[in-house]
Structure formats: C-alpha cells, structure tokens
C-alpha cells in the first residue's frame, strides 16, 4: 500500500505518528520537498508519483471548515 502525504504543520504531526506504523505500508508519495525530507528522516520510503498505480489514502490538513462541515483546502 502506498500513502499520499500532504504538507503543513498538521501533516508533520501525522508523519511523526506514522513512524510507529511504517511496516504496514510500502511507502508514500509526497506533495512537497519538506514532507519528503521529513518522511526520509523518519525512515519512510518516498516513492515517485509516476512510479505508482494506486494511492490507498491521501492525508492532508484542512485550511478551513465550511458551515456544512466540509473541509476546504
């Protein structure tokens, strides 16, 4: 399984927590150099998006929540 990882302070916290589960997935694609650097520092394989066929989950923070509880990026 390949994960998609976004960028930002919330994602950085998620990456820190993800370390405990890194044996449960093959690697991650990243939306930024900063996230890629942190993933690499934590021993999580960063995969080029062009090399994967499927991303199981994409994790990112939200900038805003609408009155209908929709997350806005």
């Amino acid at each position: 399984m390949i994960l998609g990882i976004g960028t930002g302070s919330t994602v950085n916290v998620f990456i820190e927590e993800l370390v405990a589960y890194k044996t449960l997935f093959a690697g991650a694609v990243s939306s930024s150099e900063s996230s890629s650097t942190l993933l690499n520092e934590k021993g999580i394989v960063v995969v080029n998006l062009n090399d994967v066929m499927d991303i199981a989950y994409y994790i990112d923070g939200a900038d805003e929540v609408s009155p209908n509880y929709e997350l806005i990026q």
Side-chain angles (χ1 to χ4, degrees), residues 2-52:
I2 300 293
L3 301 177
I5 304 293
T7 303
S9 59
T10 303
V11 171
N12 290 347
V13 172
F14 180 80
I15 292 170
E16 296 288 341
E17 295 298 320
L18 193 58
V19 172
Y21 304 96
K22 67 183 178 182
T23 60
L24 300 178
F25 56 96
V29 296
S30 173
S31 68
S32 72
E33 286 297 321
S34 62
S35 291
S36 292
T37 298
L38 184 56
L39 288 162
N40 279 319
E41 288 173 358
K42 299 301 176 182
I44 298 171
V45 175
V46 176
V47 181
N48 187 303
L49 179 60
N50 294 323
D51 295 334
V52 299

